[in-house]
Amino acid sequence: MTGRSIAEAFSSRASRGQAALVPYVTAGYPGLDDTGAVLDALADAGGDVLELGIPFSDPLADGPTIQRSSFESLENGTTVARVLQALRDFRGRRDTPVVLFTYLNPVLRYGFKAFLADAVDAGAQGLLLTDLPTGADPDLEEAVPDAGLDLIRLVAPTTAVERIGTVATGGGGFVYYISRTGVTGERQELSSSLADEVANVRSVVDLPVAAGFGIATPDQAAQVAGLADGVVVGSGVIKALGSGGVDGARDFIASLRRGMDGD
Amino acid sequence: MTTAAPVHSYFGAFGGRYVPETLIGALDELEAAFTSAVVDPAFLSELDGLLASYVGRPTPLYRARRLEEAAGHPEIYLKREDLNHTGAHKINNTMGQAMLALRMGKRRIIAETGAGQHGVATATACALFDLDCVVYMGEEDIERQALNVYRMKLLGAEVRTVSSGTRTLKDATNEAIRDWVTNVRDTHYIIGSVVGPAPFPRMVRDFQSVIGREARAQMLETAGQLPGVVIACVGGGSNAMGIFHPFVDDVGVSLVGVEAAGEGLDSGRHSASLSSGSPGVLHGSLSYLLQSDDGQVAPAHSVSAGLDYPGVGPEHSFLKDSGRARYVSVDDDEALEAFHRMSRLEGIIPALESAHALAYVLRDGASHAPESPILVCLSGRGDKDVASVASRAG
């Protein structure tokens, strides 16, 4: 089937006064062939946009939980081509938009333009490259929307105010606000200045703003849902998958969704 | 500045700033601090003063007559970076960067280290300037470089063991970058080689270029001519860039970088990214890289912890592709043999890293024109390697 657009996924939540939930999962984790079942579970439990991680040997923006899932996935035998195939299969069953999430090198090695074409063909809506910040490589950055994918931009607490607008330019789908300096992973508490920071980003960019990095509980998801257009959760999903398998991940996402919707 | 990659971030097609968004502000800040420092007479005179009175510069240029005989070349000079305080060239860079950290008001320093030489040099600068110091080091390297681990602790640094991935320099660098992303507001990351995102490769090269500037002047004075060839080992490539850079415009001077062939280029267990890798992005820049067909970084191997790295500085990639420098390789056995021979020939125990450059001279020195001298960068001393070489010998 045809995937929905990321914009549509956000606006459909917004029209109900809700925030979108954006779960992340490392492809090929916990098992090589689990990706399809995990994506189905995340979509069915209330994930509005799914981030599908292509594992990289040197995930320097990730904390211990996603690192471990990446290493295990690679040991399981995950390749870029296999991830795209899992996405293609998922697209045959669900229309939930998918953002491919990875580092630059596996994509460069695959062939940047070939990767974009194959990703679109497999049914991806967006691409997030953690080590391709705005302005780092304009040719690559422009090729992403040209291929028909939303380039997901990140804004950090350290991003200079005058840079925020520039960062969003050329981006699509949503802007990912990193709610803490640091690597991915759960935190005990959210940053106390998060409300101001997100409001600041929203005042500058036209795209929906989703916040992530460190969100692990329904309470935290609910708090962020009150501040931002979307809530990104990654390490929490991986942890739930590790301890409770596909059912664990489904229950975890459902619990966040309930928290966000005030049930 | 709002662009992530100024044009001068590149060396030809190589280099750049491929890092998480969180670091862009810090790289801009560092670039600005470096740019202003290198035209500030007060900064330069303080640095030069410390390099002279504390580090022990200029280091000597030594004519190695017994090495000449063994290598079959009539005129070979060694640039004695092993005689620097802390025993290697690494301190040329850490003094400069520690002073930059002070200039930026950052009092917490982090570093990665492989052989421990950069870690020791960083810990030393931090002791001198009273800065907090955390050094990331792979578990495997902690085992094979125990002496340097103890030295870092003596100097007041905290050594954090990295047990993920390959447990060597690559993963220590990942962990240092993760720390920097987390603590970037009050922390400066002193990268030890000409790698990483801009401005690091250029900045580290400029701090290390003191090696080549001195050596060039010393060659003219001592030998009465420039060398025909300059030879240095290449892991990330900081001692090589430091000695090469001032000779790049001397078209008659060949530049030869010696990579670690480990157990052989065909064995898959080596660190020769320029000799047998392909361009890719690791640790913030585009450069030659050992990688799989699927773009995963391949584990490197070398008997020398300081060369055990799957990437290389982007300027070396540029020098290779432009043909200005040539890169060759020397395997573990050749390096170990050179380590022993150099000790007996000249009474100099070289670092295993530097032993790669010497092994090339012993192997191929005679193929270089006899009328032009050979200049070798002896980047460090081998005290740190004595225990691991002894245990290897049984």
Side-chain angles (χ1 to χ4, degrees):
Chain A
M1 60 181 72
T2 310
R4 300 169 80 196
S5 72
I6 295 171
E8 198 184 330
F10 273 85
S11 65
S12 123
R13 283 292 175 189
S15 68
R16 284 176 276 167
Q18 295 172 335
L21 180 56
V22 185
Y24 163 92
V25 65
T26 305
Y29 178 84
L32 181 61
D33 298 319
D34 289 341
T35 309
V38 174
L39 290 174
D40 289 353
L42 298 178
D44 296 346
D48 299 292
V49 176
L50 309 182
E51 290 183 349
L52 180 59
I54 300 174
F56 179 48
S57 54
D58 293 81
L60 52 78
D62 286 302
T65 305
I66 294 181
Q67 281 177 49
R68 207 157 42 240
S69 72
S70 302
F71 297 147
E72 284 185 30
S73 169
L74 290 172
E75 275 171 28
N76 291 340
T78 300
T79 61
V80 175
R82 269 182 171 275
V83 179
L84 293 177
Q85 186 56 48
L87 171 56
R88 190 186 310 276
D89 295 343
F90 172 74
R91 191 52 77 224
R93 302 187 298 270
R94 303 284 193 283
D95 68 355
T96 315
V98 171
V99 172
L100 291 168
F101 180 114
T102 189
Y103 291 77
L104 193 49
N105 199 57
V107 178
L108 286 178
R109 184 69 179 183
Y110 190 94
F112 201 78
K113 293 224 163 125
F115 175 84
L116 296 177
D118 289 356
V120 169
D121 190 55
Q125 279 66 45
L127 176 64
L128 192 162
L129 295 166
T130 56
D131 51 358
L132 185 68
T134 303
D137 202 322
D139 289 347
L140 298 186
E141 293 163 59
E142 285 161 20
V144 178
D146 287 352
L149 288 172
D150 287 330
L151 178 60
I152 308 302
R153 294 299 204 184
L154 292 97
V155 172
T158 51
T159 303
V161 179
E162 64 274 15
R163 184 174 151 84
I164 295 175
T166 314
V167 166
T169 309
F174 64 95
V175 167
Y176 185 159
Y177 183 69
I178 300 165
S179 56
R180 286 268 169 124
T181 58
V183 294
T184 56
E186 299 153 88
R187 308 287 195 281
Q188 295 289 327
E189 287 175 8
L190 296 174
S191 157
S192 56
S193 52
L194 185 60
D196 290 344
E197 294 164 20
V198 172
N200 189 28
V201 177
R202 287 175 90 182
S203 71
V204 178
V205 307
D206 292 330
L207 294 167
V209 176
F213 270 43
I215 292 157
T217 68
D219 276 355
Q220 290 175 336
Q223 282 179 54
V224 175
L227 310 172
D229 305 299
V231 177
V232 185
V233 58
S235 298
V237 177
I238 299 298
K239 223 168 210 184
L241 267 176
S243 58
V246 175
D247 290 340
R250 182 187 293 112
D251 294 348
F252 175 67
I253 289 302
S255 75
L256 295 188
R257 188 72 257 177
R258 282 194 302 275
M260 290 164 62
D261 298 343
D263 296 350
Chain B
M1 197 180 304
T2 55
T3 55
V7 173
H8 59 273
S9 300
Y10 287 86
F11 305 93
F14 300 102
R17 273 188 177 186
Y18 299 99
V19 292
E21 171 66 25
T22 308
L23 295 180
I24 294 298
L27 293 173
D28 281 344
E29 181 188 14
L30 179 60
E31 173 122 28
F34 178 62
T35 305
S36 77
V38 293
V39 293
D40 176 355
F43 179 90
L44 294 174
S45 101
E46 185 184 354
L47 179 58
D48 286 349
L50 285 167
L51 289 178
S53 65
Y54 185 75
V55 174
R57 304 207 69 92
T59 56
L61 183 76
Y62 165 70
R63 183 163 180 184
R65 292 186 186 273
R66 295 195 68 208
L67 177 64
E68 288 169 358
E69 199 178 322
H73 190 282
E75 200 173 358
I76 299 175
Y77 294 88
L78 305 178
K79 179 60 175 166
R80 297 291 308 273
E81 291 301 300
D82 59 318
L83 295 178
N84 281 318
H85 180 42
T86 71
H89 70 291
K90 292 292 186 184
I91 197 164
N92 301 328
N93 169 48
T94 62
M95 295 297 285
Q97 284 205 50
M99 285 174 57
L100 278 182
L102 283 173
R103 208 174 159 91
M104 293 186 290
K106 294 187 171 184
R107 302 203 63 92
R108 180 175 180 270
I109 298 294
I110 55 171
E112 85 295 339
T113 197
Q117 287 303 113
H118 174 59
V120 167
T122 303
T124 299
C126 289
L128 180 68
F129 293 113
D130 192 23
L131 299 167
D132 292 336
C133 182
V134 173
V135 179
Y136 289 92
M137 189 166 184
E139 199 174 6
E140 183 179 329
D141 294 336
I142 285 181
E143 286 159 19
R144 57 181 166 173
Q145 303 286 347
L147 176 65
N148 274 343
V149 175
Y150 191 68
R151 289 169 79 197
M152 287 184 266
K153 290 177 179 169
L154 266 180
L155 292 159
E158 179 192 344
V159 180
R160 292 194 185 161
T161 308
V162 178
S163 307
S164 58
T166 58
R167 306 183 304 133
T168 58
L169 179 55
K170 170 177 81 84
D171 290 273
T173 306
N174 288 339
E175 213 50 43
I177 293 174
R178 291 185 187 113
D179 182 313
W180 202 31
V181 170
T182 307
N183 301 299
V184 61
R185 290 187 179 93
D186 68 354
T187 298
H188 175 59
Y189 177 19
I190 301 189
I191 289 185
S193 193
V194 286
V195 300
F200 282 107
R202 190 177 302 267
M203 181 174 78
V204 175
R205 176 202 72 195
D206 286 353
F207 283 134
Q208 291 294 0
S209 290
V210 65
I211 305 172
R213 282 197 305 276
E214 285 176 8
R216 194 176 182 283
Q218 288 166 324
M219 283 300 298
L220 289 172
E221 191 183 313
T222 309
Q225 61 175 321
L226 291 176
V229 57
V230 180
I231 296 163
C233 66
V234 177
S238 69
N239 89 87
M241 264 335 298
I243 198 164
F244 286 176
H245 185 61
F247 291 100
V248 164
D249 292 335
D250 297 315
V251 290
V253 179
S254 308
L255 308 173
V256 175
V258 184
E259 295 192 292
E263 295 174 7
L265 292 185
D266 297 331
S267 70
R269 284 178 51 77
H270 60 80
S271 304
S273 25
L274 289 161
S275 304
S276 69
S278 56
V281 170
L282 177 67
H283 298 150
S285 58
L286 177 70
S287 193
Y288 276 83
L289 181 64
L290 299 178
Q291 58 181 319
S292 73
D293 291 341
D294 213 39
Q296 306 298 337
V297 180
H301 166 78
S302 170
V303 67
S304 142
L307 303 183
D308 194 342
Y309 182 69
V312 67
E315 193 167 7
H316 284 295
S317 294
F318 171 67
L319 292 176
K320 171 193 158 76
D321 277 12
S322 68
R324 180 63 189 91
R326 192 160 62 86
Y327 295 87
V328 299
S329 63
V330 153
D331 68 24
D332 285 351
D333 290 341
E334 293 172 300
L336 283 163
E337 190 193 335
F339 178 88
H340 289 286
R341 286 188 76 187
M342 188 66 185
S343 302
R344 294 195 173 205
L345 279 171
E346 295 285 353
I348 295 172
I349 303 172
L352 277 177
E353 291 77 17
S354 323
H356 284 71
L358 295 164
Y360 170 78
V361 173
L362 284 163
R363 187 182 74 195
D364 292 343
S367 70
H368 289 276
E371 56 276 13
S372 300
I374 291 175
L375 171 63
V376 187
C377 190
L378 182 57
S379 56
R381 68 178 187 227
D383 307 43
K384 69 185 175 61
D385 298 310
V386 168
S388 74
V389 172
S391 72
R392 204 182 157 93

